[in-house]
Amino acid sequence: MQDQNPTCPIHEGIYLQQRPTKCGPVWRCPITGCTVRWWGAKDTTPCDYQTAQARKAAHAVIDPIWQRYHMSRASLYRRMKRDLGVEHIGLCDIATCEKIIEWAKKL
Ligand SMILES: [Zn+2]
């Protein structure tokens, strides 16, 4: 992990810029219209458009499960962490999102 600011995976050489938010600092690409967001945790992937879509797809599969089975969201996420080592969909790359979707289908 480098100490310097991460660069945008779409716009080569453009450094992401840190902004404070309610949920902590977020790094954003300064190019207008670029959807890259990075939340600074060590193992996150900067979020380009495809990654955002994959995360949305994973949420679309996961969220109805805990709603349907009246399971608490926290307990489903605990199970996901135990089985996949994943705590937050918002921090996943595309491959991990696909794993979550496969995992959720088997629940
Ligand atoms: Zn960008």
Side-chain angles (χ1 to χ4, degrees):
M1 185 68 197
Q2 297 162 325
D3 283 326
Q4 69 187 43
N5 280 348
T7 54
C8 179
I10 297 171
H11 301 104
E12 206 179 324
I14 301 291
Y15 287 101
L16 302 184
Q17 294 173 355
Q18 189 184 334
R19 301 261 166 76
T21 71
K22 276 187 296 192
C23 309
V26 63
W27 282 257
R28 306 170 58 149
C29 177
I31 306 284
T32 305
C34 184
T35 58
V36 169
R37 301 284 181 273
W38 186 68
W39 291 90
K42 284 197 176 86
D43 53 354
T44 64
T45 318
C47 179
D48 57 18
Y49 180 74
Q50 276 83 9
T51 309
Q53 294 303 104
R55 287 171 184 174
K56 239 187 241 171
H59 267 296
V61 173
I62 289 282
D63 292 346
I65 292 173
W66 58 266
Q67 284 155 7
R68 177 158 12 110
Y69 296 110
H70 303 288
M71 186 191 265
S72 81
R73 185 178 188 155
S75 73
L76 181 63
Y77 275 67
R78 262 201 307 277
R79 205 160 146 179
M80 187 167 79
K81 190 185 176 191
R82 191 193 61 203
D83 292 352
L84 298 174
V86 171
E87 260 179 286
H88 296 289
I89 290 172
L91 303 180
C92 294
D93 59 15
I94 293 172
T96 310
C97 286
E98 285 168 356
K99 258 203 286 185
I100 292 169
I101 292 169
E102 284 310 304
W103 171 80
K105 282 179 186 164
K106 288 183 226 144
L107 287 177

